[in-house]
Amino acid sequence: MNWQPYIRAGWEIVMEGESRSRQYLDEELEAYLVYMVARNFRNRDFPPDVICLEFNRARTADDFRQIGDSCLFVDAWEVRRAKLVDDDYYAKLGQAAYAYAATASRPIDELFNRIAREFSRLSQVLAGVKPAMESARPSLLP
């Protein structure tokens, strides 16, 4: 699979999100968001309907990372948001998932620790670009 179009689109989306949100991330956090967007561009089941159920099934750092990514999208774009939860539910669940991803790795993955701490800023960047993502996605699908 050729990932270049997805990575390029992810980079453009993150750059626009930073500009619109006025939240500027360092290269490491920018790169994470770019690849997260690219990884999930064609995933039609993302985020899952009930994220909290995924938490109980998670065992690996990758499982927890995927939950954190899902929470980041739900928090930023308010998609598939449960109706009876607090406004900060997905932010807290996402922070916990990234923290678990960090500790599930050996040695502890400091990037996931940073993402857990900076979750709000990453969410603000994605929230700033929601309209661009919606217009770009159909042009990248086969």
Side-chain angles (χ1 to χ4, degrees), residues 1 11 14 19 21-23 25 27 34 36 43 45 63-64 76 79-80 88 95 104 114 127 133-134 137 139:
M1 175 174 191
W11 182 82
V14 171
S19 178
S21 68
R22 295 198 172 129
Q23 289 289 325
L25 307 172
E27 289 179 9
V34 166
M36 181 190 74
N43 186 352
D45 298 323
D63 293 341
F64 288 112
V79 294
R80 295 188 183 176
D88 63 351
Q95 289 169 326
R114 284 194 65 215
M133 180 69 166
E134 290 172 343
R137 185 175 180 147
S139 67

Side-chain angles (χ1 to χ4, degrees), residues 14-75:
V14 171
M15 293 302 106
E16 187 171 337
E18 285 181 323
S19 178
R20 287 183 180 190
S21 68
R22 295 198 172 129
Q23 289 289 325
Y24 299 98
L25 307 172
D26 63 34
E27 289 179 9
E28 187 176 43
L29 293 178
E30 275 179 359
Y32 183 83
L33 271 186
V34 166
Y35 284 97
M36 181 190 74
V37 169
R39 237 186 350 264
N40 291 292
F41 234 92
R42 293 179 59 162
N43 186 352
R44 296 184 191 282
D45 298 323
F46 183 79
D49 288 328
V50 185
I51 296 172
C52 64
L53 294 179
E54 299 298 317
F55 211 96
N56 290 334
R57 295 181 196 129
R59 299 289 178 260
T60 67
D62 193 52
D63 293 341
F64 288 112
R65 178 202 44 83
Q66 189 65 35
I67 294 166
D69 291 353
S70 295
C71 288
L72 194 51
F73 274 112
V74 173
D75 188 60

Side-chain angles (χ1 to χ4, degrees), residues 122-136:
L122 295 169
S123 180
Q124 288 172 21
V125 168
L126 283 180
V129 77
K130 182 180 175 186
M133 180 69 166
E134 290 172 343
S135 65

Side-chain angles (χ1 to χ4, degrees), residues 103-116:
T103 59
S105 303
R106 294 291 180 249
I108 291 176
D109 190 319
E110 287 304 320
L111 175 60
F112 288 137
N113 270 334
R114 284 194 65 215
I115 294 169

